[in-house]
Amino acid sequence: MQKVTLTIENSFDSQVVRLEEELSIGRTSAADIVLNDSGLSRKNTTFFRDGEDVLIVDEGSTNGTFLNGERLSTAPRIIKDGDRVKIGSETRILVEIGETFTLEVERHREIPKADAPKLGVYDIRLGKYRNEDQTFVTPQTNAKKPVKDRSNLILGAAAGSTFAIIILAGIAYLIASKYESTQYRNTPRPTPQISTLAVIPVRVIDPLGGEDEDDLDDLIASWEVQEEEINAANVADVSVASDAAAEEKELNVTAAFLAEQQQKAFAPRSGDTGIRPAGLNVPKELFGDGVIKQKAKLREMNTLLGYKQPMDFADLAQKRLSKELIEMPMATTSFYLDVGGSAKDSPFTSFSFQGGNAEIAPGSPKYQTLLQLANNFAGTKYDLNNPAHRKQMRMRLLRMFNQRAKPILKELADAYHQKFNRPLRVTSLTRSMDYQIGLNATNANSFKVRGEGSLPPHTSGCAFDLARKHMNAEEQNFVMNKLAEMENRGVLDALIEYGTNACFHVFIYADGVPPKM
């Protein structure tokens, strides 16, 4: 039998493991190998052997399994020496097949569900399971893990009688029902898909890839991603009228100052930076019940507080005119807004869940709202027929914020700036529903807009994200401790996000009151 080795690499792991019979990889102890990659599903991908063949199967994961760049379905595929696999956000696997060796296969019984936690986490380096007390056990010394038989198709074809086929099918059904086997199936689990033609272009079959939308880890793994990074060269100066109100005069910011703050934020620093730099200590407040609290408060806003979601940029314009949401300066001494990078210069459209996007006709109520704001956007006049002007209007409308959130962001940013003399990089503020859906159309990891009645956090005007991959451990720990202190004061909920959108996601309460749990 050929020797098969898998070289597994990402930012946190670099391991070589031998494939004997079957090996699953994922984010939690539901898999044989647990990797530090938040883009992985709980059980993401399985490698297994069938005689001389080596196969790979995606376990219905959210972000998929890619073999030599091709996304796999849930049907197993034969792999060859030199094949390359990508899973999760950044995990890469090289397959090497060669050298004959003798393998004695031992059939084990299934690990009882109640006993499974006793095995702890699988340690790739030692090939053992590590318990919570850091002692090691093998499957043979505790509960034994089965070697799943993926060759039932071959056995079925070889069966010589109808009776034998019925017996085998019955056994396979019982095993699959009892142990939730992921063997070959007549009806495979649906693969998450993106439909860009639908009114709401989200993953239309199974938005969470078969996972649990109420599970905190699953929600964090599929949370929102940031927009395209802002390019200060594409941003126009903001000049307000000399007689503008005091709160609007602070909007008077040049693109040159934005570029200067951006440069300061990314300036080199000592020590490791990244998603998990050495010395990172995450307080319990940032991975506890933040998602649950946010969902509860968003539900209150939607049903009890009468918050009307901004469906499109015309709705955002109305919220600015009424001062329900306020515009934030694109840069201050203590923070800058890396928002609006994905803003388009196309004509404004209206949006509804029933009809999708539609052209806004001149003279219509929404057109009049946009025109009123364009004629006097805090002293600046824009032309709705000018693509460059439309883009700048969109950027400014994406800088909108709930008034209660402004002092909270300022307190946090001022503390960070006083400590490190750098501005905080804010990567998300308020989004209209159609803008959020536009991100969903091309990014399967963005927050799922399920339909009318849903309220993604960034359409609420109460959420903001703070980028952190460019920070070292000291900076990230400082921000987290400040967020934990503010959360304990009851003014916000925060959580830490990993993967491609490594940030601190912060949510404030629109009425200043934590949700009723």
Side-chain angles (χ1 to χ4, degrees):
M1 180 175 285
Q2 294 288 303
K3 176 182 177 182
V4 180
T5 56
L6 307 175
T7 302
I8 306 170
E9 294 181 328
N10 60 29
S11 297
F12 314 102
D13 296 286
S14 179
Q15 307 292 336
V16 178
V17 60
R18 175 180 292 184
L19 174 65
E20 296 187 347
E21 277 292 303
E22 181 173 318
L23 204 60
S24 60
I25 300 174
R27 194 181 75 247
T28 71
S29 56
D32 298 320
I33 296 179
V34 179
L35 296 180
N36 199 351
D37 182 343
S38 63
L40 293 171
S41 292
R42 285 177 286 185
K43 187 175 181 180
N44 200 98
T45 305
T46 298
F47 294 84
F48 65 97
R49 308 182 71 135
D50 184 358
E52 288 299 323
D53 290 333
V54 182
L55 299 98
I56 184 174
V57 63
D58 180 77
E59 302 286 5
S61 66
T62 299
N63 293 323
T65 299
F66 293 83
L67 175 61
N68 299 323
E70 176 189 353
R71 182 165 186 162
L72 301 180
S73 67
T74 50
R77 286 274 294 273
I78 293 177
I79 54 178
K80 307 181 297 297
D81 180 47
D83 280 349
R84 295 180 182 275
V85 177
K86 182 182 181 300
I87 58 177
S89 297
E90 57 168 334
T91 299
R92 302 167 303 281
I93 304 170
L94 173 64
V95 179
E96 296 179 281
I97 303 175
E99 298 182 24
T100 302
F101 71 101
T102 302
L103 175 67
E104 294 182 2
V105 179
E106 179 184 356
R107 302 291 178 183
H108 298 310
R109 65 178 178 86
E110 175 68 277
I111 301 175
K113 295 291 182 185
D115 293 339
K118 294 179 181 179
L119 291 178
V121 178
Y122 188 82
D123 190 302
I124 303 175
R125 297 176 180 84
L126 300 179
K128 299 179 180 180
Y129 290 87
R130 184 174 63 252
N131 284 328
E132 292 181 359
D133 61 2
Q134 303 304 307
T135 60
F136 290 92
V137 295
T138 63
Q140 289 82 0
T141 59
N142 197 329
K144 296 183 178 180
K145 189 164 184 177
V147 176
K148 298 177 185 175
D149 187 359
R150 300 253 184 184
S151 60
N152 60 310
L153 290 181
I154 299 173
L155 294 176
S161 69
T162 302
F163 179 76
I165 293 174
I166 294 173
I167 293 297
L168 289 173
I171 293 173
Y173 176 80
L174 290 174
I175 294 175
S177 300
K178 185 174 181 180
Y179 298 126
E180 299 178 347
S181 171
T182 54
Q183 295 177 338
Y184 295 157
R185 299 173 183 171
N186 292 329
T187 305
R189 292 168 60 182
T191 301
Q193 296 180 4
I194 298 174
S195 171
T196 57
L197 300 178
V199 172
I200 308 172
V202 295
R203 286 176 279 176
V204 293
I205 293 181
D206 189 353
L208 288 169
E211 300 188 4
D212 184 358
E213 67 174 323
D214 293 318
D215 183 87
L216 181 64
D217 286 336
D218 290 343
L219 274 172
I220 292 175
S222 58
W223 203 254
E224 298 186 47
V225 297
Q226 66 190 58
E227 310 162 75
E228 293 180 19
E229 186 175 316
I230 198 75
N231 182 351
N234 296 329
V235 180
D237 296 347
V238 176
S239 300
V240 301
S242 58
D243 59 348
E247 63 270 17
E248 292 204 324
K249 286 185 177 179
E250 66 179 1
L251 302 177
N252 205 20
V253 179
T254 66
F257 182 65
L258 172 65
E260 179 183 332
Q261 294 301 86
Q262 189 176 36
Q263 185 177 14
K264 286 183 179 179
F266 282 99
R269 55 261 282 157
S270 61
D272 294 336
T273 60
I275 299 175
R276 287 185 177 87
L280 190 69
N281 296 309
V282 182
K284 60 181 177 59
E285 288 84 357
L286 269 72
F287 56 78
D289 55 359
V291 170
I292 300 170
K293 289 181 180 179
Q294 289 184 41
K295 289 178 68 177
K297 196 61 187 181
L298 289 166
R299 193 177 301 114
E300 286 183 21
M301 290 181 66
N302 213 19
T303 59
L304 302 179
L305 301 181
Y307 180 77
K308 184 180 179 181
Q309 306 168 58
M311 304 300 288
D312 46 46
F313 281 92
D315 287 347
L316 283 178
Q318 182 58 54
K319 288 184 181 294
R320 193 193 190 287
L321 290 169
S322 66
K323 297 185 178 180
E324 182 180 1
L325 296 177
I326 61 173
E327 184 182 357
M328 297 287 287
M330 61 180 171
T332 70
T333 302
S334 60
F335 69 83
Y336 82 94
L337 305 183
D338 197 345
V339 302
S342 298
K344 307 300 182 184
D345 62 5
S346 55
F348 289 106
T349 57
S350 63
F351 175 80
S352 70
F353 285 109
Q354 294 77 25
N357 289 293
E359 183 180 348
I360 297 179
S364 66
K366 289 202 171 187
Y367 186 89
Q368 291 303 119
T369 296
L370 288 164
L371 183 61
Q372 180 183 348
L373 183 61
N375 284 335
N376 184 10
F377 208 132
T380 299
K381 182 177 176 61
Y382 294 102
D383 180 359
L384 293 181
N385 295 315
N386 186 318
H389 286 195
R390 292 193 296 258
K391 184 181 181 74
Q392 296 304 317
M393 283 186 67
R394 282 187 170 97
M395 286 184 177
R396 292 185 66 174
L397 288 170
L398 291 168
R399 299 173 194 152
M400 305 271 280
F401 217 12
N402 183 288
Q403 294 196 45
R404 289 183 180 272
K406 180 179 179 179
I408 292 173
L409 172 58
K410 187 176 186 303
E411 177 185 343
L412 180 62
D414 287 350
Y416 174 81
H417 180 263
Q418 183 177 0
K419 175 72 173 177
F420 299 104
N421 195 31
R422 302 176 188 273
L424 270 180
R425 179 185 171 213
V426 182
T427 52
S428 295
L429 283 180
T430 301
R431 298 168 179 168
S432 60
M433 189 69 77
D434 63 344
Y435 188 75
Q436 177 67 64
I437 289 171
L439 296 177
N440 282 31
T442 56
N443 194 325
N445 289 330
S446 60
F447 191 92
K448 285 73 180 174
V449 181
R450 297 178 182 277
E452 191 163 9
S454 66
L455 185 59
H458 287 292
T459 64
S460 70
C462 296
F464 60 97
D465 292 345
L466 304 173
R468 64 184 185 85
K469 284 190 287 189
H470 61 293
M471 297 180 180
N472 60 24
E474 181 186 7
E475 292 173 273
Q476 294 191 41
N477 288 336
F478 177 86
V479 173
M480 286 190 291
N481 289 332
K482 180 63 178 177
L483 287 170
E485 179 261 313
M486 297 174 77
E487 182 165 331
N488 289 327
R489 280 170 26 208
V491 299
L492 58 80
D493 275 302
L495 55 86
I496 184 170
E497 295 184 36
Y498 297 92
T500 56
N501 184 36
C503 70
F504 302 117
H505 176 83
V506 185
F507 183 82
I508 68 101
Y509 307 126
D511 56 357
V513 181
K516 299 175 182 178
M517 301 297 290

